[in-house]
Amino acid sequence: MVFERRRWALPVAALALVLSAVTGCTSAPDAPAKPGGAGSASGTPSGSGAPAASLARVCDRPAAGPAQAPPGAVTVDPSVVGDLDAKTDDNPPNTTFWLLPGTHRFTSDPYAQVMAKQGNRYLGAPGAVLDGRKTNHYAFGGTARDVTISHLTVQGFVAPQDEGVVNHDMADGWVIEYATIQHNSGAGLMAGARQQLRASCVRGNGQYGMNGYKTGDTIRGLVVEGNEIVGNNTDDWERRQPGCGCSGGIKFWAIDGADVRGNWVHDNRGAGLWADTNNNDFLFEGNVLEDNDGAALMYETSYNAVIRNNTIRRNNWVEGRKEAEGGDDFPYATVYISEAGGEPRVRARTDRIEIYGNVLENNWNGITLWENADRFCNSPANTSTDYCTLLVKETARCAPPGIAGAPLYDDCRWKTQRVEIHDNRFVLDPSVVRCTEECGRMAVLANYGTSPDWSPFLGESVAEAITLRQHNRWYDNAYRGPWSFVVHDTSRKLGSGQWRGAPYGQDAGSTFDAQAGG
């Protein structure tokens, strides 16, 4: 799970309330100022061939909650400390609670929280805030299903590392909508099966905006739609625990079936969106991903995804520049596919990773397809130590002598295979990115296999396979700017002619214009 180098749609009418479409060309001779928060406007570059993306500008424009209590609702008084959790305890399941304007508080017990009951609804009036005062760990917990939290600001809670403030116990069927979850430690919220996070502002949380993880289980059917995910990982966990892989806007773990649509994911420290370990059947569609310190989107040790019609700008300037200045020539990517690929034997809406219809403009690099030759189920380099692949359930099977032959030779690896990258627009102006080397690259590569000594993947076998035999294809793309291409390993850097020629044969039908920007 460590960063390793080496269907439910929101109704159109409702979505229109929280999305504001803004279009126009964004290239400029000088480096643009980074957005100063939720109010900055952006849009899709003209002539991209992709639909204009929309911004979920919900942090600056939160939807107001009901000004009066709905019929039958229990009114919660902010002047009474602990009124919310007490009234939850005193009322039956399927109760609606209406929180009056003002700041609602729990007692000073760190574990004071709402233990929701099945079907409960928590609605905030305009100006209703639930504040943990840097004292309480969690806001909403318990295993009850089908809870709704709406039009409420939740802030100031201090969840421990990897734990979340809202839906702390990862219950199923929760709906969090028109909410603001901000300035908490740990994760703003956790996730359960069938959870929907919609039209909400998830801002400035200490570790993750959302930690999409459920202890000991797979989350099935997750919707993340129309949200603004901004400025998370304020505690800079990768600096506190180098290589922890425990930060970013949203982290997804072991999720089967997710729609991530129409979100504005920006200015997060680390990655914007990061799917890590045995995720499957993802759709990333119509998002605006910009100004994240690391990759805009990482899909790691996972399977089968569609990444389409996203606008992706100015990502990885911080981490990419830092590594390049330190002498690292690895192509740190904007869209990073790491030991992840299409697998027909794992049921999903697609049997490959399809990346199409996107606009990538002035990011540090483009798309990198990577596979660590030393990383496989039961190897020391597998940082997801509790997991094997979805094709092999028992980790102990991935050992000699069986792993050297079929089917384990293939099935014990998370393989970067069956990735198709087409009909995208890639724009690079080095004067905007302010880079002179180690930027503006596409890549498909692996390292030289070295360990463990019983590994059947020693040497160049994985690098040869990912580059030439695993059906990874670029085609019908449009390039503007001085792009280069890295194949096999970091030492092989090609121009577009070599990239398109034998033996690589990439980007058939694509167009190349070396003029910067546009």
Side-chain angles (χ1 to χ4, degrees):
M1 298 179 189
V2 176
F3 172 79
E4 63 87 24
R5 199 182 84 163
R6 340 280 182 241
R7 250 58 75 224
W8 306 276
L10 188 65
V12 172
L15 187 60
L17 295 176
V18 297
L19 300 182
S20 56
V22 185
T23 60
C25 183
T26 61
S27 297
D30 300 315
K34 293 187 72 171
S40 60
S42 305
T44 302
S46 59
S48 68
S54 298
L55 292 182
R57 301 176 66 176
V58 292
C59 290
D60 267 7
R61 305 175 184 177
Q68 296 181 339
V74 173
T75 298
V76 182
D77 186 350
S79 68
V80 179
V81 174
D83 199 38
L84 179 59
D85 47 320
K87 286 180 174 175
T88 295
D89 292 342
D90 291 343
N91 284 277
N94 300 303
T95 297
T96 296
F97 299 89
W98 180 64
L99 284 71
L100 282 165
T103 300
H104 297 256
R105 296 163 293 162
F106 299 133
T107 67
S108 58
D109 179 352
Y111 296 98
Q113 61 186 286
V114 173
M115 299 300 290
K117 296 176 181 178
Q118 184 167 333
N120 281 358
R121 301 177 69 227
Y122 298 90
L123 309 180
V129 176
L130 180 60
D131 196 328
R133 298 172 296 156
K134 301 300 181 182
T135 298
N136 309 114
H137 289 181
Y138 317 118
F140 293 91
T143 58
R145 298 186 175 194
D146 304 326
V147 172
T148 297
I149 299 168
S150 180
H151 298 97
L152 180 64
T153 295
V154 179
Q155 65 184 31
F157 289 83
V158 285
Q161 180 183 1
D162 295 327
E163 298 186 36
V165 169
V166 174
N167 197 9
H168 168 259
D169 297 298
M170 300 159 278
D172 295 341
W174 284 38
V175 176
I176 299 96
E177 59 185 359
Y178 308 107
T180 297
I181 302 172
Q182 63 181 9
H183 310 317
N184 303 287
S185 298
L189 67 158
M190 303 297 288
R194 300 180 290 104
Q195 180 164 299
Q196 300 182 49
L197 174 64
R198 306 187 303 181
S200 292
C201 170
V202 183
R203 171 172 59 188
N205 296 288
Q207 187 178 5
Y208 307 108
M210 183 174 79
N211 185 8
Y213 170 78
K214 186 164 185 173
T215 304
D217 200 1
T218 297
I219 296 173
R220 302 187 188 279
L222 177 68
V223 174
V224 180
E225 186 165 19
N227 306 285
E228 184 173 353
I229 312 296
V230 52
N232 296 287
N233 188 29
T234 59
D235 292 335
D236 198 2
W237 276 93
E238 302 295 334
R239 179 185 57 81
R240 294 171 64 174
Q241 295 184 9
C244 72
C246 59
S247 63
I250 298 181
K251 193 79 183 278
F252 304 94
W253 317 80
I255 293 174
D256 190 2
D259 288 357
V260 184
R261 307 194 304 193
N263 303 283
W264 186 18
V265 183
H266 64 102
D267 292 282
N268 295 284
R269 179 171 286 167
L273 302 174
W274 187 350
D276 184 353
T277 307
N278 285 352
N279 297 281
N280 175 53
D281 194 18
F282 267 62
L283 171 65
F284 298 95
E285 179 178 43
N287 303 286
V288 177
L289 311 173
E290 58 187 0
D291 296 294
N292 298 289
D293 286 0
L297 171 60
M298 296 173 61
Y299 205 67
E300 180 179 0
T301 54
S302 295
Y303 301 86
N304 302 326
V306 176
I307 303 168
R308 68 186 180 200
N309 299 339
N310 302 284
T311 299
I312 305 173
R313 292 184 293 239
R314 301 184 301 275
N315 296 281
N316 219 350
W317 286 15
V318 173
E319 294 185 5
R321 179 172 285 107
K322 176 183 176 182
E323 299 300 334
E325 290 176 350
D328 192 339
D329 62 353
F330 187 80
Y332 288 94
T334 296
V335 176
Y336 185 42
I337 309 299
S338 176
E339 294 93 20
E343 177 48 73
R345 291 172 291 174
V346 178
R347 185 176 180 180
R349 73 192 82 194
T350 181
D351 61 2
R352 60 201 67 203
I353 293 180
E354 302 176 79
I355 304 174
Y356 65 92
N358 305 285
V359 176
L360 283 80
E361 180 182 3
N362 287 332
N363 302 284
W364 188 258
N365 281 308
I367 298 172
T368 292
L369 309 187
W370 162 255
E371 196 169 325
N372 182 344
D374 297 329
R375 189 181 190 187
F376 52 92
C377 176
N378 204 28
S379 78
N382 177 27
T383 52
S384 304
T385 54
D386 295 333
Y387 291 86
C388 199
T389 69
L390 293 181
L391 302 175
V392 180
K393 302 301 183 184
E394 298 177 8
T395 300
R397 294 183 60 205
C398 295
I403 193 172
L408 295 179
Y409 181 87
D410 289 319
D411 293 354
C412 287
R413 292 196 64 82
W414 291 273
K415 298 171 70 173
T416 303
Q417 64 179 5
R418 299 172 61 84
V419 181
E420 297 197 356
I421 301 165
H422 63 94
D423 294 286
N424 304 284
R425 178 172 171 81
F426 302 113
V427 178
L428 174 69
D429 186 340
S431 70
V432 172
V433 182
R434 293 180 178 169
C435 69
T436 57
E437 58 183 353
E438 311 302 353
C439 63
R441 294 172 293 172
M442 298 284 166
V444 52
L445 76 166
N447 59 325
Y448 191 89
T450 60
S451 67
D453 57 8
W454 51 264
S455 169
F457 310 110
L458 302 178
E460 297 185 355
S461 60
V462 173
E464 292 290 327
I466 189 176
T467 305
L468 300 173
R469 297 195 298 274
Q470 291 181 183
H471 309 287
N472 297 313
R473 300 174 58 221
W474 279 255
Y475 59 95
D476 293 337
N477 298 294
Y479 293 86
R480 182 72 180 265
W483 289 90
S484 60
F485 305 87
V486 180
V487 299
H488 190 276
D489 59 75
T490 57
S491 69
R492 299 190 191 181
K493 185 174 179 179
L494 312 178
S496 60
Q498 295 168 298
W499 171 249
R500 300 178 77 181
Y504 309 112
Q506 296 290 0
D507 265 318
S510 296
T511 60
F512 297 83
D513 184 343
Q515 180 178 346

